Amino acid sequence: MSAYSLRALVGVCRAIPAASPLQNTLWRAAVPSVANGCRIYCTKSEGASKPIGRYPIPYKKDLPYDIVELMEEVKAKGGFLPNVFQVISHRPAEFRAFFSFYNAIMNREQGNLSKADRELIVVATSIHNKCPYCVIAHSALHRIYSKNPNLADQVIVNWQLAELGEREKAMLNFALLITRSENVTEEHFKKLEEHGFDREDAWDIAMISAFFAMSNRIAHFTDMRPNIEFHSLGRVPREKEKSGGS
């Protein structure tokens, strides 16, 4: 089926009530589950020696059209599909809720937290929760947004010894306070304010920390494995990557 035909079919499906038999029939016709005898979505990353998780990955044809469309968009933009999308697609309703919440807190445009700040919070709290997937994946995103290939690695080892400014230290100190479920006092908010964070920023820091405490535990019990592609992202400028590192 051509890309034009698929886009047209997606438009038709959107006009039909969700989960209706007609929508499912049309979508399954547009997205076959088998190509040359192989599953389009499998339990292993390309070149990986272990499954990406302990739960089965659904056939593409068995997933709702909006989930497949999101997966294809992410893969097209990034060059690969992060394993978290495949693992959580085991529960479509929870998949939608998870990524809706993720988008609300990680792509929020208001406030004083940059994208690099948000990713650094994820790295620091995820290492506390011993979550390899989130540490590796979000270290890569931090390197990309910050254009600093070393800082996330330093935070992974010991954030208190990392080359952080006082503002970043205050931010991570509050994030880890939430992660450890310690008592929060007005003094903690005052310390944030001293470094330019208002009450709404404190909410953002806390919400990211809380959401990824949940995410870390999902990755833990599903035995979610990070994509090999994450390890090298953001370590070398794109210009050098294209020229072979010369």
Side-chain angles (χ1 to χ4, degrees):
M1 177 176 287
S2 69
Y4 175 82
S5 298
L6 182 55
R7 285 196 298 271
L9 185 54
V10 168
V12 171
C13 287
R14 283 176 170 163
I16 301 170
S20 71
L22 178 56
Q23 183 190 71
N24 290 335
T25 299
L26 287 170
W27 186 247
R28 292 188 183 193
V31 187
S33 63
V34 177
N36 298 323
C38 300
R39 288 199 295 178
I40 296 175
Y41 284 83
C42 62
T43 57
K44 292 183 179 181
S45 295
E46 188 174 344
S49 59
K50 295 183 178 180
I52 64 174
R54 57 169 48 97
Y55 282 80
I57 306 302
Y59 286 104
K60 198 173 181 182
K61 76 173 181 65
D62 294 326
L63 289 172
Y65 80 94
D66 58 310
I67 291 178
V68 176
E69 188 176 35
L70 176 59
M71 285 180 169
E72 295 297 344
E73 180 182 353
V74 170
K75 185 175 181 180
K77 287 182 177 179
F80 68 99
L81 182 66
N83 290 338
V84 63
F85 288 87
Q86 299 192 68
V87 171
I88 298 185
S89 70
H90 181 72
R91 294 281 187 90
E94 292 166 34
F95 177 104
R96 294 188 183 98
F98 181 92
F99 285 105
S100 178
F101 202 159
Y102 176 96
N103 184 60
I105 62 174
M106 297 303 286
N107 295 318
R108 185 172 185 267
E109 295 181 355
Q110 297 84 0
N112 295 309
L113 269 64
S114 67
K115 285 186 177 293
D117 289 336
R118 294 170 193 272
E119 298 299 341
L120 200 61
I121 291 168
V122 180
V123 173
T125 57
S126 295
I127 191 61
H128 177 83
N129 290 326
K130 302 177 181 178
C131 178
Y133 185 92
C134 293
V135 169
I136 291 170
H138 291 275
S139 292
L141 292 173
H142 178 266
R143 290 192 297 269
I144 292 170
Y145 290 133
S146 69
K147 296 181 172 56
N148 184 333
N150 305 314
L151 187 57
D153 290 343
Q154 295 174 12
V155 169
I156 290 169
V157 176
N158 186 336
W159 74 271
Q160 293 175 313
L161 297 180
E163 296 174 352
L164 296 168
E166 293 303 314
R167 175 186 177 277
E168 291 169 313
K169 288 180 181 178
M171 177 183 75
L172 294 188
N173 189 60
F174 189 77
L176 286 162
L177 179 78
I178 304 303
T179 300
R180 295 190 295 262
S181 298
E182 296 179 6
N183 292 334
V184 180
T185 68
E186 284 301 309
E187 281 301 311
H188 294 118
F189 287 92
K190 289 179 181 178
K191 287 181 180 179
L192 282 178
E193 289 170 3
E194 290 172 6
H195 296 282
F197 297 108
D198 61 24
R199 291 284 172 133
E200 293 303 313
D201 298 323
W203 179 290
D204 288 340
I205 296 168
M207 195 62 74
I208 293 167
S209 304
F211 176 84
F212 277 92
M214 177 193 72
S215 181
N216 296 157
R217 285 155 178 78
I218 292 172
H220 177 67
F221 91 83
T222 60
D223 196 26
M224 194 185 302
R225 303 283 171 162
N227 303 66
I228 192 68
E229 292 90 344
F230 281 126
H231 292 277
S232 60
L233 285 178
R235 295 194 183 278
V236 179
R238 285 186 176 272
E239 293 75 17
K240 291 186 178 181
E241 287 180 348
K242 291 177 181 178
S243 61
S246 58

